[in-house]
Amino acid sequence: MIKKIYDSIGLKSPLVHNITNYVTVNDQANILLACGASPIMADDMKEVEEITSICDALIINIGTLNERTVSSMIKAGRKANELRHPVVLDPVGVGASKLRTETAILLMKEVHFSVIRGNISEIKTIYYGSGSTKGVDANISDRVTEDNMKDVIGLLKELSDRTDSVIAVTGAIDIIVYKEKAYIIRNGHPMMSKVTGTGCMLSSLIGAFCGANPQLIPEAAAVGICTMGICGELAYEKMKEMDGGTSSYKMYLIDYVSKMNADLVMARAKVEQLLLR
Amino acid sequence: MIKKIYDSIGLKSPLVHNITNYVTVNDQANILLACGASPIMADDMKEVEEITSICDALIINIGTLNERTVSSMIKAGRKANELRHPVVLDPVGVGASKLRTETAILLMKEVHFSVIRGNISEIKTIYYGSGSTKGVDANISDRVTEDNMKDVIGLLKELSDRTDSVIAVTGAIDIIVYKEKAYIIRNGHPMMSKVTGTGCMLSSLIGAFCGANPQLIPEAAAVGICTMGICGELAYEKMKEMDGGTSSYKMYLIDYVSKMNADLVMARAKVEQLLLR
Amino acid sequence: MIKKIYDSIGLKSPLVHNITNYVTVNDQANILLACGASPIMADDMKEVEEITSICDALIINIGTLNERTVSSMIKAGRKANELRHPVVLDPVGVGASKLRTETAILLMKEVHFSVIRGNISEIKTIYYGSGSTKGVDANISDRVTEDNMKDVIGLLKELSDRTDSVIAVTGAIDIIVYKEKAYIIRNGHPMMSKVTGTGCMLSSLIGAFCGANPQLIPEAAAVGICTMGICGELAYEKMKEMDGGTSSYKMYLIDYVSKMNADLVMARAKVEQLLLR
């Protein structure tokens, strides 16, 4: 399964439309190219429908949202839904302001998302419809641990049932839930939180895997998350070896995505599958 | 000739005004600094005329265009024309949406461009006034080969005659056409297409060379394209040596631009000049 | 003092709100993470007050200003003033257009800035209320030297008295003036001017140090400037050792910020304190 999902990116070279923030957009484009996909960024109302029509997946990321781009997100999202393209929501910083919370809720009302990926505080805000996220990082009190994991999975399952979306919470432990299925992934490295955009890059990467595997969305999301986590582990080893810091780390992370292959992902993936209920 | 054109950048340190997209803008600024020029990015209607007036060249790149910036592009372009500053058009993704195609046509009507640089699908869209570019990369069916090169040159010559612009198509083989002259350049490396922004960076680099050599636009464009291609080759060798990936590659590419000199460009340039008709 | 100021970042992990340009925003986010702070970028009118309320400091950078973001800057700045959060102004390119000069003057009228950091040409434009900065770099004729330093300090003191702000001029020699105090800092490396965004990154870094040390603004600014300069020196050594260029240099610069510590800053800081009058 991993091999099939992984290799389909190389075979199909999906084109991924990103309506995203101006902070991490370059890294998102580069990670898409690194994994074998192609990026296109376009956010003007007048072109988003056409652009998303020639693509295989759409990423909507609210990192530096403004009124102009929110309208474009809805328009592109509806078009992608109509064409049955996978659509990924990255609700960056939801809970940190009313605008972000209301925008996320509006987007979820207007657009069906195949995958919603965020940190635990963002996903909790979406679950409760309100929250008080401290910036763009997860609150420490929200952290997923072995002790609260069962409760977290319950919450994600409810959200998944309500939205018919794959819900992916990423952090020290990553959890993916869709209907009766859950994946627990234990790849990755704490260093990933010391670089801006690892979450945004991951959402784009998930979009690429889903774009190449539209019939296997939860599994494609899982393979995307494993791939990113494994590259995060390898990048840390390389950074240590080269006596580098956070900026080297980001470079090695993208480097490893460009050097990754299905066999290496299979060998290093730490995925556990659960059946719920 | 190469030496004179190359060294004039160091002597004049041209200031280059970029109205560009938010995906690759940082790389464009850094490649301009790397080659010995200085970048300035400004896109507000209220300042673009003043900003372009203190500059030596203007780059107009439609990568993430929106209504606000299109008006600024026209205003800045007209001012640069009035002051006889070289103006470069990078029609990113033209053909992928009506907005992009119409904007490129509008820009070409309102502004005289010294150089129009794009991939072959973008340039064909401009030639025919319509197209269906698949994203921001060239269609494989459009690819320039030894077999179709004569036809491509004919098309570029027509477009050059019609627009009085230097037309530069870049890809595996680069072709520059202006009036009776054509340059075929065979530098570069396929890895350049695995990093976002190599085309945008090249357009900015061409702007720097043209800004420092306003009387030698076709030759300056050719030297800019050779320089980028040579750095792309050297970066590949370094990436292999260091066991890196696409992100390292981008870094080495800009590194080599900052370490390049006229002698090295002369030694490695693979340029062929043709006289047309 | 240095140790206390430096270590407070690690202890408090300040959240820094940036309303900034789209050229260097990614580097600003990464340098904030590298020093132990957290970044958040948000510029929509509807959320800037809320966002800045959850933060410890606000950075206002006019690098690619437009009407929409100028209103957000004022709104956020007033809110930060009300909450007594440190606010840093980076008047990028002020003097290069009327829009930039008028915006800087407007911002200074509407918002109290804890620190105003720029190159000497930008700060002179702010002092005189007009200027003719050539782009985003300092004019050579304005350069701070041992000979004109006394005059420069006099000008900065006047500006500091008039604005009640810490004035920080950075370049080959850095000068910080506030009331009766001045710091002369001789760290840094000329290579820093060959990479875009070192000024913007420094302003964000100063914001992080001030956010963690709101009672010690001039000293926090000095420690931020020393830290950046020392990392610029170390990055140059590493670049030479690795036979790199400007892009490697930027990476090593951020790497060193992530590897820096109070002892190393104390050992390498070249700060001279002056008492004025």
Side-chain angles (χ1 to χ4, degrees), chain A residues 22-23 27 63 65-67 97-100 135-137 194-196 242-248 250-251, chain C residues 15 25-26 29-30 33-34 38-44 46-47 50-51 54 68 238 251 254-255 258-259:
Chain A
Y22 54 80
V23 185
D27 296 326
L65 80 179
N66 61 57
E67 276 178 277
S97 74
K98 271 200 210 77
L99 176 66
R100 288 180 194 237
V136 293
D137 298 314
K194 288 295 166 199
V195 167
T196 195
M242 301 298 284
D243 196 24
T246 53
S247 190
S248 299
K250 181 174 86 170
M251 183 176 80
Chain C
L15 184 57
V25 57
N26 184 267
N30 274 318
L33 284 165
S38 286
I40 186 161
M41 278 62 183
D43 64 23
D44 193 272
K46 285 193 187 155
E47 71 167 347
E50 269 174 285
I51 295 291
I54 58 169
R68 185 177 69 77
K238 177 98 170 188
M251 183 176 80
I254 299 176
D255 273 0
S258 75
K259 297 194 288 179

Side-chain angles (χ1 to χ4, degrees), chain B residues 204-218:
Chain B
S204 289
L205 201 60
I206 290 172
F209 279 97
C210 291
N213 298 278
Q215 309 309 325
L216 293 166
I217 299 292

